[in-house]
Amino acid sequence: DAKTTQPPSMDCAEGRAANLPCNHSTISGNEYVYWYRQIHSQGPQYIIHGLKNNETNEMASLIITEDRKSSTLILPHATLRDTAVYYCIVRVASGNTPLVFGKGTRLSVIA
Amino acid sequence: EAGVAQSPRYKIIEKRQSVAFWCNPISGHATLYWYQQILGQGPKLLIQFQNNGVVDDSQLPKDRFSAERLKGVDSTLKIQPAKLEDSAVYLCASSTTGTGNEKLFFGSGTQLSVL
């Protein structure tokens, strides 16, 4: 079962920042937080992942709280092409571990 | 860099027929995954390979589903006989070694409709 809780849906105005929350209150010290997204009719796409520190790449920023029990994915300037289902996933760092998906958050970017 | 290739893109069959899906992972990736995604749900892991060995097949319905990765590269997932509830998108993914600090790369999937 997924170890994360996300809102089922969110809206965001085009050009504004999209802030997607995720609760993972039972996370262990050796578990990463991963974010993937899935655009309609495509396979999931990797966005970003982190362990303790905040992370930023060309797609997004990941903010992890100090107690690691929650995180926020930030898309700084949302476009219509960012409309997708966003999955927050907790994954053990060691060993052969797959991604376990929950239901995710359906983000709609509105013009 | 070429991505994960899957075929066919779409398949329509009648119940009780058999069907096979093919996946070619990214070159050099030792770990290969098959996921099933039913409409409105997140992907669910069916089976995970490390090279040509099975790491986890605990959620694979073995009475009708089978998968192989004979030479540690390409993989085939088969359903025989298919049921209506097998209608879903079947996703293949791969990663370098499968450890938790690596990202998975997904193919576009095969959409199966069982009538």
Side-chain angles (χ1 to χ4, degrees):
Chain A
D1 292 339
K3 297 173 63 175
T4 63
T5 303
Q6 299 178 252
S9 64
M10 294 181 62
D11 292 339
C12 178
E14 188 178 20
R16 303 296 294 269
N19 295 279
L20 291 89
C22 180
N23 183 290
H24 32 80
S25 58
T26 61
I27 193 170
S28 300
N30 67 340
E31 291 181 312
Y32 283 92
V33 178
Y34 273 81
W35 283 85
Y36 274 74
R37 73 179 182 184
Q38 189 171 24
I39 296 170
H40 183 62
S41 297
Q42 297 182 20
Q45 176 191 24
Y46 168 83
I47 301 174
I48 199 166
H49 75 286
L51 187 62
K52 297 179 183 178
N53 300 320
N54 298 336
E55 302 287 344
T56 295
N57 63 20
E58 66 278 5
M59 289 183 69
S61 294
L62 172 60
I63 308 299
I64 303 174
T65 58
E66 192 168 343
D67 63 7
R68 302 186 69 241
K69 292 185 177 182
S70 65
S71 61
T72 301
L73 178 74
I74 301 173
L75 307 178
H77 305 287
T79 70
L80 298 178
R81 287 176 293 182
D82 293 321
T83 293
V85 177
Y86 287 76
Y87 296 99
C88 171
I89 301 165
V90 167
R91 186 185 187 201
V92 175
S94 59
N96 273 316
T97 55
L99 293 173
V100 178
F101 290 81
K103 295 183 178 179
T105 296
R106 181 172 298 278
L107 175 69
S108 298
V109 180
I110 303 167
Chain B
E1 173 180 89
V4 176
Q6 290 190 247
S7 67
R9 188 74 175 89
Y10 303 94
K11 190 72 178 178
I12 301 173
I13 61 172
E14 296 186 349
K15 59 183 179 183
R16 292 187 289 273
Q17 287 186 325
S18 62
V19 64
F21 313 123
W22 174 81
C23 173
N24 185 12
I26 292 173
S27 178
H29 280 195
T31 310
L32 185 146
Y33 312 79
W34 282 102
Y35 283 82
Q36 179 194 57
Q37 186 173 24
I38 294 172
L39 187 65
Q41 300 180 18
K44 184 185 84 171
L45 180 72
L46 291 176
I47 189 167
Q48 176 181 347
F49 291 95
Q50 185 71 17
N51 296 308
N52 60 351
V54 175
V55 173
D56 182 359
D57 64 356
S58 58
Q59 299 193 81
L60 186 74
K62 298 180 187 64
D63 58 334
R64 297 183 301 106
F65 286 64
S66 64
E68 59 183 15
R69 193 184 183 200
L70 292 176
K71 297 183 179 179
V73 181
D74 294 7
S75 178
T76 303
L77 177 69
K78 297 180 181 177
I79 308 175
Q80 182 178 12
K83 293 185 175 181
L84 296 178
E85 59 260 36
D86 298 332
S87 293
V89 175
Y90 291 85
L91 295 160
C92 180
S94 70
S95 66
T96 308
T97 63
T99 57
N101 193 25
E102 291 179 353
K103 49 189 173 184
L104 274 65
F105 295 85
F106 284 81
S108 296
T110 296
Q111 185 171 326
L112 174 67
S113 297
V114 182
L115 307 178

